[in-house]
Amino acid sequence: MRSTFTAAVAACSLTLGGCASGPSNFRIVPTEKTTGDQPLKNFLVLAPGVRAKGAGLYSMDIPIASPPWRCPSSEAGDADFRARVVTTGFNTAVLRVTSVLYDKEAQLRQAWENWTKSPQATPVIQCLSAQDIAAIPNRLAAARPVDGEQSLESALGLSATRLVILEPGMTVCASDGFMRDATADGHIPTGPFCARVADSPFGGQVLDPIRHSMDGITGGSDSGAGAPIRSIASWAEVPRDTNPREYVVRYPTKLPPAGRPLPKDVSLLVSLDARLPFKVRQAAMSCIADEGRVVDFCESPISQIPKKCGNPTLAQMTVQPMCYRFGERGVMNLSIPVIINGTQADVGVGALVRDAAAQLGRPPTTTPGMTRWYGAKQHPVEFETKAFDLPLLPGDTLSW
């Protein structure tokens, strides 16, 4: 067995240009062109298996299940996007993708799709399993080098669109949900009401896990033909769902005005089918972010949503989206779980490394020990530049 392994390693060294995979840790590196007063753009986050190749190119090692002996050793592609199979051990391999630095995840996914259709890529595609081919776009997206601002958008959906995708472990709280006794100054708010996001036994996420074991605790159906945006006072009023759901919180551009503000002016909770293909999901998110179309998206029958949103891609949706607001002026606040000096803590979505340091009374210029989830395990984070504006992600661990 040992001689077989040695022979395999020797063979890959000769025919594939080496078996070594990329770095096994996250690396925080300075950008080639710093942007001065935009600290979130002054560094890049390189995931495990990603390395800079020079001339604006980056290589990403994407694990594959296909045996490397089935695959050709030649590299296929062009100056912007190319790939080849590289052996990493006995009967194991990665697809090494080398590409330019794309600003948007959708651009990288499109480059992969275009590459798979090119004649020179055919021999590589034919050697990959159907499982590998289906998984590679998501794995590429997870490995894409990102700056601080893009890391928030990639992991949580947080961007200029003011949308945040809820993930298991996050906490979502709503305050000012319903008002009680009127006073001279208006109303006394109730709340806050909080829920921890968890994996649903039906797939996707759930906001109140105990309700899945309690019959009849909620009424209402999730499969209607479109309904007005529901005004709720507790998470228990979100119908128990047998369809896999994911949830998105949409923030307004400013705090809701007094009186009865329009839906576009308040925080909204939107549930979507968790199985939507990437392009359909992006189309839905775009419509939710559009102040002129969000109500049509929420309140129209699913058959009319493509026309209302002006995007035929949405015809692929099969599960009616549902939208909720907390009372009239309800504001939602989100936090993510991290571990700081061995103790679990919740920090606000968008919190930075320097914020965690300040929480402990540590100087914001002291680099922490840090690990971050990637794949199925945590990896150390190496700071090759003092990026204290690195946004925190769910599950990060920090120590000073």
Side-chain angles (χ1 to χ4, degrees):
M1 177 66 73
R2 181 178 179 84
S3 61
T4 302
F5 176 81
T6 303
V9 172
C12 76
S13 298
L14 291 172
T15 62
L16 295 178
C19 300
S21 58
S24 60
N25 297 338
F26 280 96
R27 295 164 55 225
I28 312 301
V29 302
T31 56
E32 295 181 358
K33 296 180 180 180
T34 58
T35 54
D37 60 351
Q38 294 181 285
L40 284 174
K41 292 186 175 293
N42 285 337
F43 59 90
L44 286 178
V45 182
L46 304 185
V50 179
R51 71 180 86 197
K53 299 280 286 185
L57 295 173
Y58 291 83
S59 69
M60 296 169 275
D61 286 353
I62 310 302
I64 57 176
S66 304
W69 49 264
R70 294 182 52 199
C71 298
S73 60
S74 58
E75 189 172 58
D78 56 29
D80 288 344
F81 191 97
R82 55 185 185 269
R84 62 178 175 136
V85 174
V86 177
T87 301
T88 55
F90 178 64
N91 213 31
T92 62
V94 297
L95 183 72
R96 180 161 295 169
V97 174
T98 301
S99 79
V100 296
L101 190 63
Y102 290 100
D103 290 334
K104 298 293 183 181
E105 176 184 332
Q107 295 172 325
L108 178 60
R109 288 177 178 268
Q110 187 63 54
W112 161 257
E113 185 176 332
N114 294 342
W115 181 83
T116 61
K117 297 175 182 177
S118 64
Q120 58 181 320
T122 299
V124 178
I125 293 298
Q126 289 178 340
C127 86
L128 300 176
S129 68
Q131 179 183 2
D132 283 331
I133 293 173
I136 284 172
N138 288 338
R139 292 175 182 173
L140 275 175
R144 180 174 71 100
V146 290
D147 61 32
E149 189 173 289
Q150 292 166 336
S151 74
L152 283 173
E153 183 174 358
S154 176
L156 301 172
L158 184 62
S159 68
T161 60
R162 308 182 311 281
L163 303 182
V164 182
I165 301 169
L166 301 189
E167 298 288 348
M170 292 174 63
T171 296
V172 53
C173 295
S175 58
D176 215 3
F178 266 123
M179 302 296 180
R180 47 195 171 90
D181 303 331
T183 69
D185 295 324
H187 295 83
I188 301 173
T190 59
F193 305 97
C194 299
R196 181 78 77 170
V197 184
D199 287 318
S200 166
F202 300 107
Q205 285 91 49
V206 61
L207 299 178
D208 191 356
I210 193 172
R211 290 189 294 116
H212 281 282
S213 60
M214 301 175 69
D215 292 333
I217 194 170
T218 58
S221 170
D222 68 318
S223 58
I229 294 173
R230 300 185 186 185
S231 183
I232 61 176
S234 72
W235 301 108
E237 293 180 64
V238 178
R240 188 172 61 177
D241 205 332
T242 55
N243 290 302
R245 290 277 188 172
E246 68 173 346
Y247 292 88
V248 177
V249 170
R250 180 191 187 276
Y251 280 98
T253 55
K254 56 187 177 182
L255 289 177
R260 298 179 62 86
L262 298 173
K264 69 181 182 64
D265 295 325
V266 300
S267 298
L268 293 179
L269 176 73
V270 183
S271 72
L272 298 171
D273 184 353
R275 302 160 297 188
L276 290 178
F278 175 78
K279 289 184 178 180
V280 183
R281 186 174 183 254
Q282 291 298 99
M285 298 279 277
S286 177
C287 195
I288 295 167
D290 189 328
E291 293 193 0
R293 287 175 159 159
V294 60
V295 175
D296 286 335
F297 180 88
C298 288
E299 298 187 349
S300 299
I302 193 171
S303 61
Q304 296 181 18
I305 289 178
K307 181 179 180 180
K308 296 284 188 179
C309 290
N311 193 327
T313 302
L314 293 171
Q316 297 180 45
M317 293 197 308
T318 59
V319 176
Q320 179 75 41
M322 302 291 288
C323 301
Y324 309 89
R325 61 191 287 178
F326 265 76
E328 296 300 329
R329 300 181 64 236
V331 176
M332 296 184 199
N333 297 289
L334 307 176
S335 59
I336 60 175
V338 298
I339 296 176
I340 304 176
N341 282 354
T343 301
Q344 183 168 325
D346 281 352
V347 298
V349 170
L352 311 175
V353 166
R354 68 170 67 252
D355 296 325
Q359 188 171 319
L360 288 178
R362 302 290 195 273
T365 55
T366 303
T367 302
M370 185 173 177
T371 64
R372 173 166 285 184
W373 286 98
Y374 183 76
K377 63 179 182 178
Q378 285 194 320
H379 298 258
V381 178
E382 298 178 2
F383 288 83
E384 298 181 16
T385 183
K386 292 189 175 182
F388 302 107
D389 292 293
L390 174 68
L392 299 177
L393 300 181
D396 283 351
T397 68
L398 304 99
S399 60
W400 280 272

